[in-house]
Amino acid sequence: MPQYTPPLRDLKFVMHELLEAVPRLQRLPRHADLDAATADAVLEEAGKFASEVLAPLNPVGDAQGCKLDPATHAVRTPDGFKDAYAAFVEGGWPSMICDPAFGGQGLPLLLNQCLFEMLNSANQAWTMYPGLSHGAYACLLTHGTPEQQALYLPHLVKGDWTGTMCLTEPQCGTDLGLLRTRAEPQADGSYRLTGQKIFISAGEHDLADNIVHLVLARLPDAPHGSKGISLFVVPKFIPKPGGGLGARNPITCGALEHKMGIHGNATCQMNLDGATGWLVGQPNKGLAAMFVMMNAARLGVGNQSLGLTEVAYQNAAAYAKERLQMRALSGPKAPDKPADPIIVHPDVRKMLLTARAYAEGGRALAMYCALLLDEEHGADDADAQRDAADLVALLTPIVKAFLTDNGWIATSQCLQVFGGHGYIREWGMEQFLRDARINLIYEGTNTVQALDLLGRKVLADNGAKLKKFGKLVAAFIDEEGVNEAMQEFVNPLADLGDKVTKLSTELGMKALANPDEVGAAATDYLRVCGHLVFAYFWARMAKIALAKLDSGDPFYAAKLATARFYFAKLLPETAGLIRSARSGVQPLMAMDEALF
Ligand SMILES: Cc1cc2nc3c(=O)[nH]c(=O)nc-3n(C[C@H](O)[C@H](O)[C@H](O)COP(=O)(O)OP(=O)(O)OC[C@H]3O[C@@H](n4cnc5c(N)ncnc54)[C@H](O)[C@@H]3O)c2cc1C
């Protein structure tokens, strides 16, 4: 069975040394009383829950999957999932970052980011149940009426109810403008919803007393397309105004999907047969309201792959130190043994360091985004809020797509370290790879993230958000420009920054002539930007490691070696990506459709 050790040292490094997060958070009125000891204690407890309670259930969930009783529409989760969820609620974890007005503890989102990274490492399928509740909480907190908030939020905060997001239908996935579920207004102000949703994660299960579905549907007079979509809250059991649960609402699970990975999470076909719902936000503005949940979920999906990258790395590194095969090309390294451990071989190290560099770079980026979100929601100065919001908007598609692409590469490379044993179930590596695959698809495929980044976040605002990130990079380069020891990091960072600026301008010009140029370049462009962001964080981490190299803590030597690996072996892929992005649309569209 795979092992998992919470990466507390690196989480604390990013929090305290790289981001200097506690003093930044203390400047926000709502977190003025936070101290480093509290933050560390939360990480340690979260790590225990993830490694001791959740990790042992990961292979169980994979082997058993979820079971539907067609007669009652009830879904049973794998053995142990329900008890683990009860312990999660008992521990107060669902309420950690929620508003004290609804029973929350009001701690920073940054701590939740760390909690969920560790939960995802331990058990992605289980973690999706509480993960979706947070999105539903955030959506109702922003767009719900005071009555809806009073009815639903205390339960989502406590965790005795969970949430879902119901967008997808058989004919509508990426293109939500095609959705058909209908909502008919009723005399009492509620709506009757009829239609079918598919692929709904955590749509039905036995972990919580009630499920709060957030459903996209059309009003009878709605305009066509995405401008005619409204958002509704549709509870499994209709809450009684004074407390307690009333009637079972006809929103039921008709079937469970049989799928490649995340078997422990129920992926449900949901039938709405005249289910009662209530409008959330304005009529026909449902997509904008749902975006609160979708943006949270996009960061959450990046975090899923970050978790898998870390746990896959840990297991592959341990295996590579034990497994004996062949001698090092440069002569035996373990002459007392029949062969050397495979970690002596350069290519095995390349696979391990790839995963390590992606895990640690991804952690720095994801935690930075969470801190920005804390600043966006907690700063008392409008400019600071806007700057943070702009950076989060720019970085969200990068977190979603770059971290999940990297997670797929890393889990595959870590499986490869095990040779044939990686392909065999008992080692757990093939589960990490299978679980990681969905992360490139849901919450908007990675292609959709790339179109969002290049089309909306960069070209549509004339590069303003990109320039905000560019200013951070430029300030760091200015600061370190005279530091000889940092040239190996600063020079390639500066070079890539210039290339991204030029590439963005070139693609903007081409897009004016032919909008398909955006679609042709977007996925390469996102990966180049992902590397720019990683190079910035890796350079900053290298600076800290260089300064503390003589501290006697081997952590800094490992950090510096990983930074050097990243710049030498991973960053150079940007040269090929830029060439490919610049080659334009012609090679893609030249072939006649009939010839495919
Ligand atoms: C396990 C699982 C869990 C899920 N959980 C949920 C959930 O909880 N709630 C929910 O609502 N949905 C959920 N989904 C649905 C998921 O979000 C969709 O599958 C996803 O958005 C893609 O939609 P689609 O499958 O219809 O693919 P399509 O939209 O048909 O896309 C097919 C391909 O075409 C590409 N494509 C489409 N449009 C464009 C374009 N304009 N430019 C370039 N390429 C394009 C896509 O990138 C993709 O590669 C889940 C799916 C799965 C498999």
Side-chain angles (χ1 to χ4, degrees):
M1 196 169 87
Q3 301 299 311
Y4 174 61
T5 306
L8 294 175
R9 179 68 180 90
D10 202 49
L11 286 163
K12 289 179 189 174
F13 167 79
V14 174
M15 185 174 304
H16 301 307
E17 297 176 66
L18 177 69
L19 301 179
E20 296 175 335
V22 173
R24 270 176 83 160
L25 288 165
Q26 285 168 339
R27 287 198 279 279
L28 310 176
R30 62 171 71 168
H31 300 308
D33 296 335
L34 183 79
D35 58 68
T38 306
D40 288 352
V42 170
L43 297 192
E44 281 153 26
E45 285 308 308
K48 273 189 209 154
F49 182 82
S51 57
E52 292 171 15
V53 180
L54 282 193
L57 298 177
N58 199 36
V60 179
D62 189 51
Q64 291 185 2
C66 294
K67 306 267 183 327
L68 170 70
D69 178 344
T72 63
H73 305 291
V75 169
R76 189 157 54 80
T77 55
D79 292 348
F81 271 42
K82 195 175 158 114
D83 289 345
Y85 188 76
F88 189 70
V89 171
E90 177 69 28
W93 295 108
S95 68
M96 187 165 84
I97 54 163
C98 298
D99 190 336
F102 298 104
Q105 301 172 52
L107 284 166
L109 282 161
L110 178 61
L111 293 179
N112 212 47
Q113 162 60 37
C114 301
L115 165 69
F116 271 78
E117 184 208 307
M118 292 187 271
L119 300 181
N120 282 317
S121 281
N123 195 328
Q124 171 171 332
W126 182 94
T127 302
M128 288 170 71
Y129 295 102
L132 281 153
S133 300
H134 260 297
Y137 160 83
C139 186
L140 288 172
L141 188 69
T142 314
H143 294 287
T145 62
E147 294 74 26
Q148 288 168 346
Q149 293 181 346
L151 207 52
Y152 295 103
L153 292 185
H155 291 286
L156 288 169
V157 169
K158 187 175 170 208
D160 59 341
W161 298 1
T162 61
T164 73
M165 52 195 300
C166 298
L167 293 74
T168 306
E169 298 178 7
Q171 77 295 344
C172 115
T174 302
D175 189 352
L176 291 169
L178 299 173
L179 77 79
R180 290 186 194 142
T181 297
R182 293 182 61 78
E184 304 280 345
Q186 304 298 296
D188 64 358
S190 69
Y191 293 79
R192 268 172 72 83
L193 280 88
T194 309
Q196 189 190 64
K197 297 285 173 181
I198 61 165
F199 298 166
I200 304 308
S201 300
E204 183 57 63
H205 58 76
D206 55 1
L207 304 185
D209 300 338
N210 201 5
I211 302 177
V212 182
H213 301 283
L214 288 176
V215 181
L216 290 181
R218 283 186 186 289
L219 295 168
D221 56 352
H224 288 296
S226 58
K227 292 197 167 66
I229 298 174
S230 303
L231 179 64
F232 299 86
V233 56
V234 185
K236 174 178 169 182
F237 291 102
I238 296 178
K240 293 181 183 161
L245 295 177
R248 175 73 165 94
N249 208 1
I251 175 166
T252 53
C253 178
L256 288 177
E257 302 300 341
H258 301 279
K259 53 194 194 286
M260 178 176 177
I262 54 166
H263 293 161
N265 193 267
T267 306
C268 304
Q269 177 189 310
M270 298 300 293
N271 299 320
L272 295 103
D273 300 309
T276 302
W278 288 268
L279 186 69
V280 178
Q282 299 301 309
N284 302 325
K285 302 272 187 239
L287 215 46
M290 189 56 122
F291 254 103
V292 173
M293 190 162 183
M294 284 155 78
N295 280 329
R298 286 173 178 184
L299 294 171
V301 172
N303 207 15
Q304 292 179 326
S305 282
L306 168 58
L308 291 174
T309 302
E310 170 66 31
V311 71
Y313 166 74
Q314 287 187 15
N315 284 277
Y319 187 82
K321 288 189 224 172
E322 294 288 322
R323 175 72 173 168
L324 307 179
Q325 290 294 298
M326 308 286 286
R327 290 292 180 195
L329 292 171
S330 53
K333 298 291 178 283
D336 53 321
K337 297 191 174 137
D340 285 336
I342 59 171
I343 199 160
V344 305
H345 305 307
D347 197 55
V348 171
R349 284 170 166 257
K350 188 175 178 193
M351 294 188 277
L352 292 174
L353 283 163
T354 297
R356 184 174 178 131
Y358 282 154
E360 294 180 10
R363 180 171 299 123
L365 169 57
M367 287 176 67
Y368 174 65
C369 273
L371 181 60
L372 287 173
L373 278 169
D374 280 317
E375 292 177 341
E376 178 186 343
H377 298 302
D380 50 8
D381 151 15
D383 287 344
Q385 281 183 356
R386 197 174 38 253
D387 282 349
D390 282 350
L391 285 171
V392 171
L394 178 79
L395 295 173
T396 296
I398 296 176
V399 170
K400 197 293 180 171
F402 193 57
L403 266 56
T404 60
D405 282 342
N406 293 345
W408 177 243
I409 295 167
T411 50
S412 176
Q413 301 263 290
C414 289
L415 182 152
Q416 187 80 10
V417 169
F418 281 72
H421 299 274
Y423 201 69
I424 304 300
R425 183 173 283 184
E426 70 176 278
W427 290 94
M429 301 305 287
E430 55 89 45
Q431 185 189 348
F432 296 144
L433 184 67
R434 284 186 287 105
D435 286 356
R437 190 62 187 83
I438 185 58
N439 301 340
L440 287 68
I441 298 172
Y442 57 19
E443 259 343 295
T445 62
N446 284 2
T447 305
V448 169
Q449 305 304 320
L451 290 169
D452 178 48
L453 176 70
L454 179 56
R456 291 181 56 218
K457 305 288 170 58
V458 175
L459 299 183
D461 81 340
N462 288 321
K465 293 185 184 70
L466 187 63
K467 277 185 201 136
K468 279 194 181 167
F469 186 76
K471 270 192 188 167
L472 299 177
V473 175
F476 181 75
I477 291 167
D478 275 355
E479 210 178 286
E480 297 304 317
V482 290
N483 182 351
E484 192 59 36
M486 281 295 292
Q487 296 313 295
E488 61 179 306
F489 306 111
V490 168
N491 292 343
L493 173 63
D495 179 54
L496 185 58
D498 286 346
K499 285 181 173 147
V500 167
T501 306
K502 285 190 191 123
L503 180 64
S504 307
T505 309
E506 181 181 324
L507 294 177
M509 300 301 286
K510 280 182 168 175
L512 290 176
N514 179 0
D516 268 345
E517 293 285 356
V518 173
T523 53
D524 290 329
Y525 181 82
L526 184 142
R527 207 160 166 80
V528 173
C529 290
H531 275 299
L532 177 66
V533 174
F534 265 36
Y536 169 68
F537 283 112
W538 268 116
R540 286 185 51 191
M541 293 193 282
K543 180 189 162 184
I544 300 167
L546 275 168
K548 297 190 177 168
L549 210 48
D550 297 331
S551 66
D553 184 346
F555 175 86
Y556 297 107
K559 190 62 87 182
L560 187 61
T562 312
R564 287 189 168 133
F565 167 83
Y566 174 76
F567 276 89
K569 297 287 185 191
L570 298 181
L571 192 70
E573 106 169 281
T574 50
L577 290 165
I578 291 170
R579 270 186 76 177
S580 169
R582 296 186 68 197
S583 69
V585 74
Q586 172 66 9
L588 301 173
M589 304 311 257
M591 194 159 86
D592 194 285
E593 208 176 296
L595 297 177
F596 275 89

